[in-house]
Amino acid sequence: MPARPSGPAAESDRVFLAGSPTGLGTPLRGREAIVSSLHRAVDTGARPVVLRGRPGMGKTRLVADVLAFAEERGWRTVTVTPDVDSGADLRPILEGTEPQYWVTRLLLDRLERAAADAGRVLVVVDDMQWLDAASTTLLSALSGELADQPVSWVFTTRTGTFGAAHARAVTRFQRTGSLIDLEPLPLDAVREMTSDLIGAPPGPKLEAALQRTENIPLFIVELVRGLEEEDLLRRSGTVVDAIGSGVPPRFGSSSRERVEHLSPEALHIAQIASLFGRRFRLGDVLHTLDATAVAAGPAVEELIAGDYLSDDGDALTFVHDTIREAAEASLSPSVRRVMLREVAQLRLDAGEPASAVASSLVESAEPGDQHSFDLIREAARQLSSTDSTRAADLAEAAIEIARHVPRLAEAATELLPYLWADGRHRSAETATESLTPYLSAESRARTLLSVARRQTESSFDEAVATCDVALALRGIERSTRAELLAVRALNCANKADFAELTRTLSLAREVADPLTDHLALATVDATESVYAFNSGRFDDAQSLIDSALERAAHAGLHPGRWVPEGLWPVFLADSSGDPVRALRLADEGLNEALRAHAAVAEAYWMMVRSRVLYDLGRLEEAKLQSESVLLLADELDLGDFANATAGIVLFRVALRTGDLDARQRSQPIVDALASGGGVVRAGMWMKALEALDEGRLDDAYASSALARASLDEPIPAMTTPSDFSDDLVLVDLALRAGDDDAVAAVVARSRTRAESNPSNPFSRAIAAGVRGRVTGALDALGEATELLRGLDRPLVLAQVLEHCDAVNESDAQAVASLQEALRIYEAAGAVRDASRVLRALRARGVHRRPRRHGTPQLLSPREQQVLDRLATGATTQQIAESLFMSPHTVVSHIRHIYAKTGVNSRQELRLWQQSRAS
């Protein structure tokens, strides 16, 4: 220990620290630019700010400053302070169906209300690295959805790697806001900070000692405080200097050195406490030690007095994570393992969920340990709906415990879906191989069946592959095989593999028992209905889907929540030429999904509804609905289904309306679909339409190759599900390219469809339109237009009317057809189509300006309803409930209102509405 002056120091020479080292008693030195940037960011908008730095850099001090800044202005503040073991902060409300989606909606509404009440809300998330994946993703989604609201966000995090969700969130915040990396203080700031603490500039010995701090704020405070407590600071003239070496015994540039100076009793308490997390109850630690508060009191007081722990009256907290980590690291590995086990059991006995102590359970478990296996399996189950990555980590740990332990093998199969769900296919296959000798084929098959069902929502190819693995197993029960074949058939239909579809449907009907396998046969009937429709047998398709719905009801499934099979009646009605009936069915399904709070079903019904609205020619509504679907699909991690329908609808709307923003958002989806996979035909057909729109005939023809090659197959050759009006585009493209074989194939396809379904006016109209375009027969085109006028496919009617111009030598008749087509396109807002017709009219000698729709900012009736409620201060959820629509649809409406009004926040929108009303 450094020598002290032999005589007592004069009171005037003593130095006492000013203010609080972590509070607001001293200025922030060396961070002035950061403080200014923080204040400006939270004061002017909702762009998130991330403060990143190693421990001790002053993140928490900066947070205290920005909170004080907000409170001075009367804002509402919300602080999230997770602990290393507090990943389950949100878990009690993250249980159930699509929990993360519903919690996001709940917190979104609460924050909107708080912002409306207080004028602005500041949300601070300190130590973001300790949040679990679900909580990190949830907060990231909230900050994005509240970007137009007076809600500001500040996040702090350590440097380092803390999982995929954390990395994604930091990247997103950096892209949409700002990332500030905290570096050590400059030398001038070190001197100023020291002067603030001791009330005078530091002398030469103290400056020399400060070099040991690495210019890190926490270490500067610790050094100066230690010197003051050891009475090693003296005033000398205008400066304060250190005595002797200037380094107190308790100081170390790392927290590990600090804990080495604790008494054995205090160190032991710190070691045990570190296993409970940063914040802990003293009673739990004493219980583990089998000690009394009286006996442990001096050691606890030593920890508090030495600034290792703080006491808030309810619990004790390590003043810094580095101290907790240092105390834990001071334990030998073997002792720590056993202690972790005891602490984990104590926490479980106190009522904490298994997921909260999962890390301790994994570290303390031993091979074949039944108790640890059961607890870790339960923790994985608790996390599976909120944090797929962490659930998979725990699943792997539990499977490792069960490896080569026959009595645990069957139970371990329940964990395999967590590996598949997180994309760890090789790990799942390896685990399955290790468990196979000890479990039945039936257990493995049922596990893979559940995985395939989940994959149906996102990847048709993976779902088929998973079914094939399960079906290759010997000795599985007939009912399980029937369900596997049903799911395989469904995904073969989804990916338009008609050869495998027919084979799988035949096998499924052979295996399934019509008296008991209601669920399997419901899927088989629905899938065969799709096949019948694509084969041109519309009546059979309707009978099969009716049977499927009956079977589903018998199995206890409600059509509104039976997805994706339950969507097919809507697609069937729409593709058959009755979009009005299709819209009614879609609205019924969507309303049921909303009432049931079934988020995935809600996304699917909105998806099919976007397609119906497009076919009805309601392009603005179709755009709104497809945007809403894609927002929701991102939250729920949906893939092929949402992209193949809503993504393509948005792209087609963008092509027709010339909406560059919608085009930019949907282009990556189309490019991805066209690059391969189950819905490549739909993606390539969109590329053909894109090339046509841009006048690139050769590229359009090349992109239509898959469509031309698939015309004789019972699959959607172009749009998915089929849109017969695509035949009109393809035949025109083939004629312009001089491909007689393709022309003949399209004619034959449309004729066969119409002849097979004589009672279907839409099929007859398309066949007549194709024939008229190819032969130049005006009577055929006239038949097509008359049939289409009795249907609700205005854009298709306009297409046929354009064909009338292509084959009509009479200027008067051609002009009349073009003018009718123009009226349809202009009414629908199809600006690009209208421009094409105007060019055709000019070629016929008719010059007309494009029709103006009055004020560009004119709101639709639905947008006005949303705005009226927004002006009263209603939140997104309240607006959604009052208008009975999805919150995502409300958000899309608001975005459209922003585009039309030129404002970009809800507060400005309310002011705009007030000025318009006055």
Side-chain angles (χ1 to χ4, degrees):
M1 178 179 292
R4 296 191 185 187
S6 57
E11 190 63 32
S12 60
D13 293 334
R14 294 287 302 276
V15 176
F16 300 92
L17 297 191
S20 166
T22 56
L24 299 175
T26 57
L28 271 163
R29 299 297 188 179
R31 306 296 194 203
E32 290 81 5
I34 293 174
V35 170
S36 177
S37 177
L38 268 176
H39 289 183
R40 187 167 55 253
V42 301
D43 198 28
T44 59
R47 293 169 63 83
V49 181
V50 179
L51 297 172
R52 183 171 63 184
R54 56 183 282 197
M57 283 296 180
K59 299 184 294 293
T60 302
R61 175 65 175 84
L62 286 164
V63 162
D65 176 85
V66 77
L67 284 170
F69 175 83
E71 289 165 1
E72 286 174 2
R73 282 153 181 74
W75 301 349
R76 184 79 61 83
T77 60
V78 178
T79 306
V80 180
T81 54
D83 183 18
V84 63
D85 278 343
S86 68
D89 284 346
L90 294 171
R91 193 155 298 113
I93 52 174
L94 283 174
E95 296 289 341
T97 306
E98 297 106 22
Q100 189 167 308
Y101 168 78
W102 296 114
V103 174
T104 303
R105 301 262 64 78
L106 173 66
L107 296 182
L108 184 72
D109 188 60
R110 297 284 174 83
L111 286 172
E112 280 192 50
R113 290 172 189 255
D117 291 342
R120 179 167 289 278
V121 173
L122 171 64
V123 182
V124 171
V125 182
D126 202 10
D127 281 328
M128 184 176 69
Q129 73 275 358
W130 299 139
L131 289 171
D132 64 357
S135 304
T136 302
T137 304
L138 187 152
L139 289 169
S140 179
L142 279 175
S143 67
E145 293 201 40
L146 288 164
D148 64 340
Q149 305 244 33
V151 180
S152 300
W153 298 82
V154 175
F155 297 83
T156 76
T157 184
R158 285 189 186 181
T159 52
T161 303
F162 297 98
H166 178 272
R168 285 194 302 269
V170 171
T171 300
R172 175 177 177 174
F173 296 148
Q174 184 175 13
R175 186 179 66 251
T176 60
S178 59
L179 173 65
I180 300 173
D181 281 309
L182 299 179
E183 303 294 341
L185 296 175
L187 186 58
D188 288 346
V190 174
R191 294 192 186 102
E192 290 172 347
M193 182 177 176
T194 305
S195 297
D196 292 332
L197 291 169
I198 61 179
K205 290 183 180 179
L206 180 52
E207 284 200 4
L210 287 168
Q211 293 177 10
R212 292 280 304 275
T213 67
E214 305 171 42
N215 295 9
I216 295 173
L218 176 65
F219 297 161
I220 295 169
V221 172
E222 287 189 348
L223 173 67
V224 176
R225 173 175 284 183
L227 290 169
E228 188 268 341
E229 289 177 353
E230 297 291 329
D231 197 18
L232 295 175
L233 291 177
R234 290 293 182 274
R235 188 174 299 275
S236 176
T238 59
V239 301
V240 170
D241 212 349
I243 297 172
S245 69
V247 179
R250 55 162 269 183
F251 176 75
S253 59
S254 73
S255 294
R256 183 169 297 187
E257 291 179 44
R258 280 195 62 192
V259 300
E260 290 175 357
H261 296 288
L262 286 168
S263 68
E265 296 79 10
L267 176 60
H268 193 44
I269 288 177
Q271 290 171 330
I272 301 301
S274 70
L275 304 179
F276 283 86
R278 185 170 176 183
R279 190 171 188 268
F280 60 92
R281 294 179 301 184
L282 178 59
D284 291 338
V285 174
L286 296 180
H287 179 75
T288 305
L289 291 168
D290 195 22
T292 65
V294 172
V300 173
E301 290 298 335
E302 177 186 345
L303 291 166
I304 295 173
D307 205 28
Y308 295 87
L309 301 177
S310 63
D311 187 352
D312 62 14
D314 295 320
L316 297 174
T317 305
F318 284 94
V319 297
H320 206 274
D321 283 326
T322 56
I323 297 174
R324 187 199 66 79
E325 291 164 358
E328 185 177 9
S330 67
L331 290 165
S332 68
S334 297
V335 171
R336 180 175 175 274
R337 184 187 185 94
V338 176
M339 285 184 174
L340 271 174
R341 189 183 185 90
E342 293 180 5
V343 168
Q345 188 58 56
L346 180 66
R347 294 172 65 185
L348 289 167
D349 292 344
E352 290 192 52
S355 55
V357 296
S359 299
S360 298
L361 293 170
V362 170
E363 289 190 57
S364 62
E366 297 178 356
D369 181 348
Q370 175 83 54
H371 184 59
S372 293
F373 171 81
D374 290 341
L375 290 173
I376 296 171
R377 181 180 60 167
E378 174 60 18
R381 187 200 66 76
Q382 291 174 2
L383 287 166
S384 62
S385 61
T386 61
D387 189 345
S388 62
T389 299
R390 185 67 181 128
D393 289 341
L394 294 175
E396 287 187 323
I399 290 170
E400 187 60 33
I401 294 172
R403 198 178 299 276
H404 307 306
V405 182
R407 59 188 168 79
L408 298 179
E410 285 286 342
T413 61
E414 299 173 15
L415 298 164
L416 293 173
Y418 304 146
L419 302 182
W420 287 94
D422 197 49
R424 305 186 192 187
H425 297 178
R426 179 167 296 181
S427 178
E429 290 167 359
T430 301
T432 303
E433 289 174 6
S434 70
L435 295 171
T436 296
Y438 311 108
L439 54 82
S440 67
E442 176 65 15
S443 294
R444 184 180 175 192
R446 297 301 302 183
T447 297
L448 294 176
L449 173 62
S450 66
V451 170
R453 259 293 176 186
R454 186 177 296 129
Q455 289 171 329
T456 299
E457 298 175 359
S458 57
S459 175
F460 308 145
D461 288 324
E462 288 183 8
V464 170
T466 300
C467 288
D468 288 343
V469 171
L471 288 165
L473 298 173
R474 294 182 178 181
I476 64 175
E477 294 182 9
R478 177 200 49 74
S479 59
T480 299
R481 186 173 295 277
E483 288 188 56
L484 285 164
L485 287 167
V487 174
R488 189 183 195 277
L490 172 64
N491 283 280
C492 287
N494 290 337
K495 66 192 293 259
D497 186 344
F498 83 96
E500 282 300 302
L501 171 61
T502 53
R503 185 181 74 84
T504 308
L505 283 172
S506 177
L507 287 173
R509 291 213 180 273
E510 287 178 14
V511 171
D513 184 344
L515 298 178
T516 58
D517 294 329
H518 301 296
L519 181 59
L521 286 172
T523 297
V524 167
D525 283 345
T527 304
E528 191 166 350
S529 173
V530 176
Y531 179 64
F533 177 76
N534 290 329
S535 301
R537 297 181 285 111
F538 295 178
D539 290 341
D540 289 346
Q542 189 61 55
S543 296
L544 282 162
I545 194 58
D546 290 343
S547 171
L549 292 171
E550 284 185 25
R551 291 186 188 277
H554 201 74
L557 291 171
H558 192 285
R561 282 167 277 172
W562 186 36
V563 292
E565 295 95 321
L567 306 172
W568 177 241
V570 182
F571 281 127
L572 179 58
D574 185 55
S575 293
S576 300
D578 191 356
V580 173
R581 177 170 176 266
L583 185 61
R584 177 175 57 78
L585 293 174
D587 285 342
E588 290 174 1
L590 178 58
N591 291 342
E592 170 59 28
L594 288 169
R595 281 192 294 269
H597 297 292
V600 170
E602 178 188 340
Y604 281 145
W605 286 110
M606 289 165 61
M607 173 192 75
V608 67
R609 195 172 186 274
S610 72
R611 165 69 183 272
V612 176
L613 289 169
Y614 174 83
D615 289 341
L616 283 165
R618 293 156 61 172
L619 299 184
E620 184 68 16
E621 292 179 71
K623 173 189 171 186
L624 175 81
Q625 192 76 94
S626 59
E627 288 173 336
S628 303
V629 172
L630 295 173
L631 280 173
L632 187 50
D634 281 344
E635 282 192 46
L636 298 174
D637 197 25
L638 304 180
D640 286 351
F641 258 122
N643 290 337
T645 304
I648 281 180
V649 165
L650 185 60
F651 187 74
R652 297 192 79 162
V653 170
L655 288 182
R656 287 189 177 277
T657 62
D659 188 328
L660 296 179
D661 183 54
R663 177 80 169 268
Q664 186 177 20
R665 290 199 302 276
S666 55
Q667 186 77 56
I669 294 174
V670 168
D671 291 345
L673 292 175
S675 66
V679 284
V680 63
R681 290 173 180 81
M684 289 304 299
W685 182 240
M686 290 306 105
K687 301 295 283 186
L689 296 181
E690 178 183 31
L692 277 175
D693 180 69
E694 296 171 356
R696 297 182 284 109
L697 181 63
D698 290 344
D699 290 343
Y701 193 66
S703 294
S704 71
L706 270 179
R708 288 180 276 115
S710 307
L711 288 175
D712 293 332
E713 299 178 8
I715 58 174
M718 292 165 274
T719 305
T720 301
S722 293
D723 180 357
F724 305 155
S725 69
D726 286 333
D727 289 355
L728 296 170
V729 180
L730 183 57
V731 78
D732 186 65
L733 178 58
L735 283 168
R736 293 165 65 186
D739 188 338
D740 294 339
D741 290 340
V743 170
V746 178
V747 171
R749 168 189 167 97
S750 62
R751 183 180 64 245
T752 300
R753 185 193 302 121
E755 291 173 350
S756 301
N757 303 280
S759 63
N760 184 261
F762 190 45
S763 297
R764 287 163 38 214
I766 298 302
V770 169
R771 185 173 73 253
R773 174 66 182 91
V774 173
T775 64
L778 287 173
D779 59 338
L781 291 171
E783 178 189 354
T785 57
E786 287 308 309
L787 286 167
L788 287 167
R789 286 192 181 100
L791 301 173
D792 292 284
R793 292 296 303 271
L795 299 176
V796 182
L797 172 58
Q799 280 181 271
V800 175
L801 290 167
E802 285 192 81
H803 286 337
C804 291
D805 167 65
V807 303
N808 203 328
E809 295 182 0
S810 166
D811 282 344
Q813 291 178 345
V815 166
S817 296
L818 288 172
Q819 286 179 331
E820 184 179 356
L822 182 61
R823 287 193 295 272
I824 292 171
Y825 287 140
E826 288 182 332
V831 176
R832 298 283 291 178
D833 295 294
S835 297
R836 184 179 61 248
V837 174
L838 284 170
R839 289 194 297 272
L841 282 169
R842 283 196 294 273
R844 293 280 186 176
V846 177
H847 296 272
R848 213 208 77 174
R849 291 180 179 275
R851 182 179 130 198
R852 301 296 180 186
H853 290 274
T855 307
Q857 279 74 32
L858 185 64
L859 302 182
S860 70
R862 203 60 160 167
E863 288 167 350
Q864 188 61 55
Q865 289 176 326
V866 170
L867 179 57
D868 290 342
R869 285 159 176 78
L870 192 67
T872 66
T875 66
T876 302
Q877 187 63 39
Q878 289 169 333
I879 296 171
E881 291 171 357
S882 68
L883 297 177
F884 207 78
M885 62 173 67
S886 165
H888 290 81
T889 304
V890 174
V891 171
S892 294
H893 273 304
I894 293 172
R895 289 180 177 178
H896 286 197
I897 296 171
Y898 287 156
K900 293 180 178 182
T901 60
V903 303
N904 56 19
S905 75
R906 299 195 184 193
Q907 197 167 14
E908 291 178 10
L909 200 55
R910 292 186 182 101
L911 294 173
W912 181 87
Q913 172 74 336
Q914 291 169 10
S915 66
R916 192 174 67 152
S918 62

